[in-house]
Amino acid sequence: MTQNLDEPWAIGVLPDKGFLVTERNGELLYVLDGQTKRVKGVPRVSAKGQGGLLDVTIARDFLETREIFLTFTKRQFRKSGNAIAVARLSESGDRLTKVRVVFEAVPGGRTGKHFGSRVVEAQDGTLLVTIGDRGDRPAAQDTSNHMGSVIRVNRNGTVPDDNPFVGNEDVRPEIWSIGHRNPQGAGLDAQGRLWISEHGAKGGDEVNLVQPGLNYGWPVISYGVHYSGEKIGEGTAKPGMEQPEHYWDPSMAPSGLMVYSGKLWPDWKGNIFVGSLKFDYIARLTGSPLQEVEQIKGPETIRVRDVVEAPDGSIWFISVGEGAVYRMTPGGD
């Protein structure tokens, strides 16, 4: 357990049993054997509203490259937008080197909300990144920008040739899927498929299985309503728009998402875990159709922001309310 964190947002567990944790204000911390170091060389962030230093993901080839992936909100003139950086962590864990920003969402926005901002390394080494609608609902259906989408880029920021909209002049080539509101959780299953959790409005929080080129409906369809109580869009379904695998009503404010391997809890193999910021628990979902079958809840699960599986199969999570990182194992050690 690590405590006294200032609005922690994401965890990345390293092969050496240390881990990285981001604080939204722009700090990246390296923790090993109970000792914490502040990592130098982190890109400057625009920490306004819900923005700042957000996700951290450890590259699968970290032992060879020492590379990590960061998402953050970058100032863009008088606006700010989602950005991805790739960097190398020093052997001592206290510095980033060879930092390069490989992607910036366009256009930037003036609001400080709905950044999404999880980054996942796909099985082929490409990066899948969630981007929220920035509070501009129609933008999630406008393919001339990156808002309300999942994007896919190569590790150097170039566009993969097999992206679904490559060659379509009306669509940004980085776009993988559209129609998302504020996807703050993302993870791969054993088949390499991308699952995301995203905030609805009042009701209608979703878990989606994201496939290339598809439209997930926001704000045309939703199982939620506006905070005023008014209907959103055209209803809950429309041809050409995907249905969620699961939705919550009332909203539980989903954040980090992880699909579990089964390494330490074999009965949980393939189960999906999603942190709740509103109701202070970790949801465990399984089955077809996908259903919430358990709420893992205790004094530690206050505003769960991130949930990850470590290389040894233990489950780690962030409690924003406690300002802490916790590790779960079957024996409770």
Side-chain angles (χ1 to χ4, degrees), residues 166-306:
V166 167
N168 186 331
E169 295 181 356
D170 297 323
V171 185
R172 292 274 175 182
E174 298 89 356
I175 289 177
W176 184 251
S177 64
I178 66 169
H180 304 286
R181 184 175 183 267
N182 188 17
Q184 288 192 350
L188 299 181
D189 64 16
Q191 299 172 20
R193 301 179 302 176
L194 178 69
W195 294 80
I196 67 171
S197 58
E198 50 186 300
H199 293 262
K202 187 178 180 182
D205 294 344
E206 296 180 354
V207 174
N208 283 300
L209 174 58
V210 179
Q211 299 185 62
L214 298 186
N215 185 340
Y216 290 82
W218 178 258
V220 180
I221 60 172
S222 174
Y223 283 90
V225 296
H226 292 298
Y227 295 111
S228 66
E230 294 182 4
K231 177 182 174 181
I232 293 174
E234 301 177 18
T236 59
K238 185 175 182 178
M241 294 184 175
E242 302 305 303
Q243 287 290 299
E245 297 296 319
H246 179 78
Y247 72 90
W248 285 273
D249 189 10
S251 293
M252 50 83 88
S255 194
L257 177 150
M258 175 267 290
V259 186
Y260 189 62
S261 71
K263 185 174 287 187
L264 294 184
W265 290 271
D267 290 345
W268 289 356
K269 184 175 182 179
N271 287 194
I272 294 174
F273 293 78
V274 179
S276 169
L277 292 164
K278 183 177 181 181
F279 293 136
D280 302 333
Y281 70 92
I282 300 172
R284 181 168 69 86
L285 303 99
T286 190
S288 182
L290 190 67
Q291 304 232 357
E292 182 182 278
V293 296
E294 183 180 4
Q295 295 182 357
I296 300 170
K297 190 168 187 173
E300 302 84 5
T301 58
I302 309 300
R303 287 185 58 78
V304 178
R305 173 64 75 181
D306 198 14

Side-chain angles (χ1 to χ4, degrees), residues 32 35 37 41 44 59 61 73 101 109 120 124 129 173-175 178 183 198 222 236 240 257 320:
L32 178 64
Q35 301 297 311
K37 299 178 182 179
R44 176 180 287 187
D61 61 0
T73 54
V101 176
V120 173
D124 63 2
V129 183
E174 298 89 356
I175 289 177
I178 66 169
E198 50 186 300
S222 174
T236 59
L257 177 150
V320 180

Side-chain angles (χ1 to χ4, degrees), residues 10-23:
I11 326 161
V13 183
L14 295 158
D16 64 2
K17 297 186 180 179
F19 67 94
L20 297 172
V21 57
T22 61
E23 294 180 326

Side-chain angles (χ1 to χ4, degrees), residues 75-217:
R75 187 169 179 80
Q76 299 168 322
F77 300 102
R78 296 182 180 179
K79 300 180 180 181
S80 62
N82 294 62
I84 310 168
V86 181
R88 292 187 181 180
L89 181 68
S90 66
E91 292 284 347
S92 59
D94 62 356
R95 180 175 294 278
L96 296 182
T97 63
K98 297 189 177 180
V99 182
R100 58 263 190 214
V101 176
V102 299
F103 171 82
E104 290 186 42
V106 293
R110 296 185 186 277
T111 70
K113 61 183 181 179
H114 295 189
F115 290 96
S117 210
R118 291 292 176 187
V119 55
V120 173
E121 183 184 10
Q123 288 181 336
D124 63 2
T126 59
L127 303 180
L128 293 159
V129 183
T130 68
I131 299 175
D133 69 0
R134 301 298 308 280
D136 179 1
R137 293 189 295 270
Q141 294 292 323
D142 180 356
T143 55
S144 69
N145 68 69
H146 293 115
M147 297 180 189
S149 70
V150 173
I151 65 103
R152 176 176 177 253
V153 294
N154 292 314
R155 198 150 153 172
N156 61 4
T158 59
V159 177
D161 293 338
D162 60 348
N163 266 12
F165 298 108
V166 167
N168 186 331
E169 295 181 356
D170 297 323
V171 185
R172 292 274 175 182
E174 298 89 356
I175 289 177
W176 184 251
S177 64
I178 66 169
H180 304 286
R181 184 175 183 267
N182 188 17
Q184 288 192 350
L188 299 181
D189 64 16
Q191 299 172 20
R193 301 179 302 176
L194 178 69
W195 294 80
I196 67 171
S197 58
E198 50 186 300
H199 293 262
K202 187 178 180 182
D205 294 344
E206 296 180 354
V207 174
N208 283 300
L209 174 58
V210 179
Q211 299 185 62
L214 298 186
N215 185 340
Y216 290 82

Side-chain angles (χ1 to χ4, degrees), residues 41-54:
V42 177
R44 176 180 287 187
V45 307
S46 177
K48 295 181 179 180
Q50 298 169 0
L53 181 60
L54 302 176

